[in-house]
Amino acid sequence: GQQVMQIPQYQHVQEGEDFTTYCNSSTTLSNIQWYKQRPGGHPVFLIQLVKSGEVKKQKRLTFQFGEAKKNSSLHITATQTTDVGTYFCAGPWAAGNKLTFGGGTRVLVKP
Amino acid sequence: EAGVAQSPRYKIIEKRQSVAFWCNPISGHATLYWYQQILGQGPKLLIQFQNNGVVDDSQLPKDRFSAERLKGVDSTLKIQPAKLEDSAVYLCASSLAGGKNIQYFGAGTRLSVL
C-alpha cells in the first residue's frame, strides 16, 4: 500500500532560525496536503499542492511539491514560538478522497 | 460556521469494556471519516462514509470496532471489547463530497484503556 514518510521526526529550532521538513511518498500523488497539529490539539489544514513543481507561500511558510509529485517540503523562516506543533503531510490514495498521513515532524522552538 | 463536534473529549475504561464515540460533522459535508491517532504517530483512517454509506473500512478492526452513520449526518464509532492497544485519540473529520478533499477535524476523543 501507499506509504508517506516524513523527516526529520523531531526538529529542535532556535527561535529566529529557518528549517525545512520533508515528505516522501512511495507512489505518485495527485495532490498533497499539509496539516498542523498543536500540542493537545487536532490537525488543521494548512495548504494543498496540486501541480508538479508548485510552490505556495503562507507568510513565513513555503510549501513545495516535487517535480515527480512524489515528494514535498515545508520551509519555515524566522521560526517563532507559535510554530510549535507537529506538521503532517498527507496524500490521497485510491478513490474516495482517502488520505494517508505521514508520521509528522514535531517542531520544538527554543526561545 | 460550526466545526466538527465530538464527544466525549476524554474516556477512561478498563480492558474488555465497551465504549462509544459520537461525531457531528460540519453541516453540508457529505463525507465523514474516523481516524485513530496513537501517541507520536499520524492519524490512521479507520472508516470513511459518503452520506450514510461506507466508502472504505479496510483498516477497521471489524472484530471489535463498528461504526454507523444511519441518517447520513452524525456518526457513532464503537469499540467492543476494548484492548489496551486501543488507547489513542479518535478523530472525526468531514469534507465536502467531490471537493478538494480538504478535511476538517474535530477535537477528538482521548481514550485510555486500563
Side-chain angles (χ1 to χ4, degrees):
Chain A
Q2 182 196 60
Q3 290 186 326
V4 177
M5 293 149 287
Q6 289 185 249
I7 53 171
Q9 188 175 1
Y10 298 94
Q11 182 80 53
H12 292 229
V13 190
Q14 189 72 44
E15 189 173 15
E17 291 186 342
D18 303 351
F19 76 91
T20 303
T21 178
Y22 300 89
C23 173
N24 296 290
S25 170
S26 60
T27 60
T28 302
L29 301 170
S30 60
N31 66 81
I32 195 159
Q33 299 179 18
W34 285 87
Y35 291 77
K36 178 182 178 181
Q37 186 172 25
R38 295 183 184 277
H42 57 278
V44 175
F45 173 79
L46 292 177
I47 208 158
Q48 182 182 56
L49 304 171
V50 179
K51 299 177 183 177
S52 170
E54 186 172 15
V55 178
K56 287 187 176 180
K57 291 188 176 183
Q58 287 182 352
K59 298 182 180 178
R60 296 178 294 101
L61 277 61
T62 302
F63 303 84
Q64 185 167 6
F65 202 6
E67 294 290 340
K69 302 183 75 172
K70 293 184 70 174
N71 57 73
S72 180
S73 64
L74 161 60
H75 181 80
I76 300 181
T77 58
T79 305
Q80 299 178 359
T81 55
T82 54
D83 296 324
V84 166
T86 301
Y87 294 82
F88 292 100
C89 64
W93 58 282
N97 296 338
K98 294 183 287 292
L99 290 178
T100 296
F101 281 79
T105 293
R106 286 150 192 81
V107 175
L108 300 174
V109 180
K110 295 177 284 186
Chain B
E1 176 183 86
V4 176
Q6 288 190 249
S7 67
R9 287 297 313 276
Y10 306 92
K11 191 73 177 178
I12 301 174
I13 61 172
E14 294 186 349
K15 60 183 179 183
R16 292 188 289 273
Q17 285 187 324
S18 302
V19 64
F21 314 125
W22 175 83
C23 171
N24 194 27
I26 293 173
S27 178
H29 282 196
T31 310
L32 185 148
Y33 314 80
W34 282 102
Y35 288 88
Q36 179 192 60
Q37 186 175 26
I38 293 172
L39 186 64
Q41 299 181 16
K44 171 190 164 186
L45 180 68
L46 293 175
I47 189 168
Q48 177 186 350
F49 292 94
Q50 181 82 9
N51 296 308
N52 61 351
V54 175
V55 173
D56 186 278
D57 62 358
S58 58
Q59 299 187 100
L60 186 74
K62 298 181 187 62
D63 58 333
R64 298 183 300 106
F65 287 64
S66 65
E68 59 184 16
R69 193 184 184 198
L70 294 176
K71 297 182 179 179
V73 180
D74 58 344
S75 176
T76 302
L77 176 70
K78 296 180 181 178
I79 307 175
Q80 180 180 13
K83 292 185 176 181
L84 296 177
E85 58 261 36
D86 297 332
S87 294
V89 176
Y90 290 84
L91 294 162
C92 178
S94 68
S95 67
L96 287 168
K100 295 182 178 180
N101 68 294
I102 295 169
Q103 298 186 14
Y104 298 86
F105 285 82
T109 297
R110 184 175 299 275
L111 174 67
S112 297
V113 182
L114 307 178

